[in-house]
Amino acid sequence: MQAKTGGAMQMTLAMVISGTVGWPVVALGLPAVTVVFWRCAFGALAMLLVCALLGQLKRGALSRRQWGIAALGGVALVLNWTLLFAAYSQASIAVATVTYHVQPFMLVGLGALFFGERLTANRLGWLLLAFGGVILIVTGHSGGDPGANYLLGVLMALGAALMYAIAAAIVKQLKTLPPQLLVLIQLSVGAVLLAPFAGFHTPAAPRDWLLLATLGLVHTGLMSTLLYSAIQKIPTSLVGALSFIYPAVAIVVDWAAFGHRLSLLQMLGTAAVLCARQA
C-alpha cells in the first residue's frame, strides 16, 4: 500500500513536470531543433549519473541488436520532441498538447499493422471519438478561420504523436533493457544527431542556459526517473488516470503564461480526446 501511494505521488509529480514543459520552450524563442539538442545533452548527463548510481553501465549490458533498436527509437523520440516543440508556437501549448495525446491510438494502429494485434470494435470506436475530438479542436479555433500556421501546428502535433507511437513500438522490442539505460541511449543519439544543427543558434543569455538546463535535468532526467519508478509501483489503470494531469496542467500554464484560452468547441474536443485516451 505504501509503495502504491509513493508511486502515485511520483506519477503525479512526473505529469505536473511534463505539463509545464511548454513554458520554457516558448519562453526561449529558439528553433525547436536547438531546444531539443540541449534537452538531449543535459538529459543525457542526468541519465548517465542515474545509470551509474544504479550500476547499469556495465560492458556487455546489451547486444548490438539492442543498441541498434534503441538508437532507432532515439531518432523517433528526437523527431517527436522537435515536432511537438515546433507546434507550440504555431497552435499554442494547450492545443498542441491535447492533439498530441492521440498517440495511444496511433500505437494501437501500429500494433494492428505490424505486430498482428487485433483492432476490436471497442478500440475502433474510441479511436473515432479521439479523431472527432481533434476535428473539434481544429474547427473550434477562437479566431474563426484557423489559418495556415494554426493548421500546421496541429499537423506537427499529430506528427509528433506518430513519432512517439513509433518510439513506443520500438521500445516494446526491448522489454529486458533497463528503462534508464534505454533513455540514456536515446538521449545520447539525439544529442549526436542534432549537434550539427544546434550550433547555429547557441543561446547567450544566462537565463536561456538556465531554461535549457531545466528542460534537460528536470523535464527529462528527473521526470523520466519519476515516471519509470511510478510505473513499476502502480497499476496501469492508475497510470492512465493520472495521465490526465499532463494536458490539464499544460492548458493552465498556456492560459496563465501566454493568455491562450480554449474555445467551447476546443474544450469539447479536448474532453473527447482525453476520455478516449483513458479507454
Side-chain angles (χ1 to χ4, degrees), residues 211-225:
L211 290 175
L212 288 170
T214 300
L215 280 172
L217 300 176
V218 178
H219 290 93
T220 305
L222 176 59
M223 188 279 294
S224 298
T225 302

Side-chain angles (χ1 to χ4, degrees), residues 64-80:
R64 289 185 178 180
R65 178 179 177 276
Q66 288 176 316
W67 268 106
I69 295 175
L72 187 61
V75 173
L77 188 66
V78 165
L79 290 173
N80 155 50

Side-chain angles (χ1 to χ4, degrees), residues 79-172:
L79 290 173
N80 155 50
W81 284 341
T82 303
L83 287 169
L84 181 61
F85 289 178
Y88 289 157
S89 60
Q90 302 293 331
S92 84
I93 294 172
V95 169
T97 301
V98 173
T99 304
Y100 176 70
H101 274 72
V102 302
Q103 20 91 353
F105 300 101
M106 292 187 174
L107 184 57
V108 168
L110 290 176
L113 286 174
F114 300 106
F115 302 112
E117 297 179 359
R118 195 163 63 94
L119 183 60
T120 64
N122 183 53
R123 285 185 173 181
L124 183 60
W126 288 114
L127 177 62
L128 291 174
L129 176 62
F131 178 74
V134 173
I135 296 299
L136 286 176
I137 290 171
V138 174
T139 58
H141 183 59
S142 57
D145 182 9
N149 290 344
Y150 181 85
L151 293 176
L152 177 61
V154 172
L155 289 175
M156 284 179 171
L158 289 173
L162 177 60
M163 289 299 105
Y164 178 89
I166 291 174
I170 291 172
V171 168
K172 289 182 68 175

Side-chain angles (χ1 to χ4, degrees), residues 18 26 30 48 57 80 105 121 138-139 144 148 156 181 187 198 209 214 249 263-264 273:
S18 297
V26 175
L30 295 171
L48 180 63
L57 301 178
N80 155 50
F105 300 101
V138 174
T139 58
M156 284 179 171
L181 185 58
L187 293 177
W209 284 113
T214 300
V249 171
S263 68
L264 178 59
V273 170

Side-chain angles (χ1 to χ4, degrees), residues 16 64 70 85 112 125 149 161 175 185 208 212 217 233 239 242:
V16 170
R64 289 185 178 180
F85 289 178
N149 290 344
K175 294 180 180 179
I185 294 171
D208 291 348
L212 288 170
L217 300 176
K233 298 174 183 176
V239 171
L242 292 176

Side-chain angles (χ1 to χ4, degrees), residues 30-31 33-34 37-38 194-203:
L30 295 171
V33 171
T34 301
F37 165 75
W38 288 110
L194 297 180
F197 308 100
F200 298 108
H201 298 279
T202 303

